[in-house]
Amino acid sequence: MSTPIVLDTNVVLDLLVFDDPATPALQQALDGGVLRWIATPVMREELARVLEYPHLVARLDHYRLSADDVLAAFDRQVQRVDVAPKAPMVCRDPDDQKFIDLAVAHRAQLLSKDHAVLKLKKRLLLQGVPVATRLDALPALESVT
């Protein structure tokens, strides 16, 4: 059975746009069914909005990608789920609350680079949600990398 994982938008960009050296293991785990990436329509909307930022449009051009390419890759890889109810902990950055809510509701691993999310790392772990900036730092997934 695959482990559910929630990826924040920065990690999604690393995976689908930037060819970050840390992402091949993540892609392999997704492709191999070890991980099941869950996301909500709101998360897709945020990605679409971020892909319109001028500095990202330039990066997409550099990588010869379009926003539609990235969104299509997102759509192929995620399992869409409903928006989760509010988690017991509140993130200082309201834009990041949706990732926390979803991870808590599904007891999913959470990959995030966001400082506000990482500050909740201990509290999230108490809810059964490991949080990390890298795949190999998630305890249940160390063997994936």
Side-chain angles (χ1 to χ4, degrees):
M1 185 163 173
S2 60
T3 301
I5 192 162
V6 175
L7 307 178
D8 79 8
T9 304
N10 286 322
V11 174
V12 172
L13 290 172
D14 287 346
L15 179 67
L16 301 180
V17 176
F18 297 129
D19 288 331
D20 184 292
T23 59
L26 173 58
Q27 189 63 63
Q28 181 179 7
L30 292 169
D31 292 345
V34 175
L35 295 176
R36 180 174 38 92
W37 177 9
I38 58 174
T40 65
V42 174
M43 292 172 182
R44 187 187 191 281
E45 290 167 15
E46 178 177 287
L47 177 60
R49 187 175 61 253
V50 167
L51 291 170
E52 293 177 356
Y53 293 171
H55 70 283
L56 284 177
V57 169
R59 296 296 292 187
L60 289 172
D61 286 345
H62 171 77
Y63 288 108
R64 296 181 184 189
L65 291 170
S66 70
D68 287 341
D69 295 331
V70 177
L71 293 170
F74 177 94
D75 292 339
R76 281 191 305 273
Q77 295 187 62
V78 301
Q79 175 188 346
R80 288 210 183 177
V81 295
D82 292 332
V83 173
K86 186 91 162 113
M89 65 282 306
V90 177
C91 186
R92 269 194 234 182
D93 184 346
D95 287 337
D96 292 319
Q97 188 67 44
K98 62 185 158 289
F99 302 107
I100 291 167
D101 296 343
L102 188 62
V104 170
H106 289 263
R107 294 216 181 247
Q109 312 279 327
L110 175 57
L111 278 180
S112 178
K113 292 182 169 186
D114 190 277
H115 249 308
V117 172
L118 297 174
K119 284 189 174 210
L120 295 172
K121 187 174 179 174
K122 287 181 185 176
R123 291 180 58 205
L124 284 164
L125 192 54
L126 292 173
Q127 296 290 318
V129 177
V131 179
T133 58
R134 299 178 338 270
L135 186 65
D136 63 352
L138 291 171
L141 302 170
E142 290 171 344
S143 63
V144 172
T145 57

